[in-house]
Amino acid sequence: LVDKCIGSRIHIVMKSDKEIVGTLLGFDDFVNMVLEDVTEFEITPEGRRITKLDQILLNGNNITMLVPGGEGPEV
Amino acid sequence: MNASSALVTKTKLMGPTEDLVSPVQRMIVKMSLRKQTPSDFLKQIIGRPVVVKLNSGVDYRGVLACLDGYMNIALEQTEEYVNGQLKNKYGDAFIRGNNGNTSLQFYSI
């Protein structure tokens, strides 16, 4: 299922009230994810955080939910 | 009823992004977004300046010396950022991979 999302926008919700929106480049058996063009959102304190270009590797340990094609809490 | 249900199955089989994109555009997209697993990504970024972000909110910026399958990391010339800048570490810094409540996000600058 996640395999279908490769190449498209995905929205990741983590255990710690943080959300990450980016383009999915790849993932592995542990659901660590490689994302590109990433924006990071904190839920409670404020809105957006940093827009990180390039690529990130996100550790799968704290991922709660994956939403294909989603946008963050605010644009 | 039969005609409309046949139409529905057709659009389902075609996939979400393929119908409206011209072949040239599709080729360009495929060239820039190669399928890349985390291990490939890690091989690529070794030696590059990276930021490692822990779940606790602490940022470590340095040059990635090496790392292993458990995501233990060795960085060189690391700086530690919490809200402002806290400690400056030169030489080597070692970060433990999996702590149960630490997640790592690396991004190369």
Side-chain angles (χ1 to χ4, degrees), chain B residues 56-67:
Chain B
S56 56
V58 188
D59 264 354
Y60 293 92
R61 298 182 177 233
V63 178
L64 186 61
C66 53
L67 66 107

Side-chain angles (χ1 to χ4, degrees), chain B residues 63-90:
Chain B
V63 178
L64 186 61
C66 53
L67 66 107
D68 66 5
Y70 295 101
M71 289 206 191
N72 299 318
I73 303 171
L75 289 176
E76 289 174 356
Q77 300 194 337
T78 317
E79 292 170 0
E80 182 177 359
Y81 290 85
V82 181
N83 296 317
Q85 195 170 343
L86 264 194
K87 304 173 202 168
N88 271 342
K89 294 172 290 193
Y90 293 93

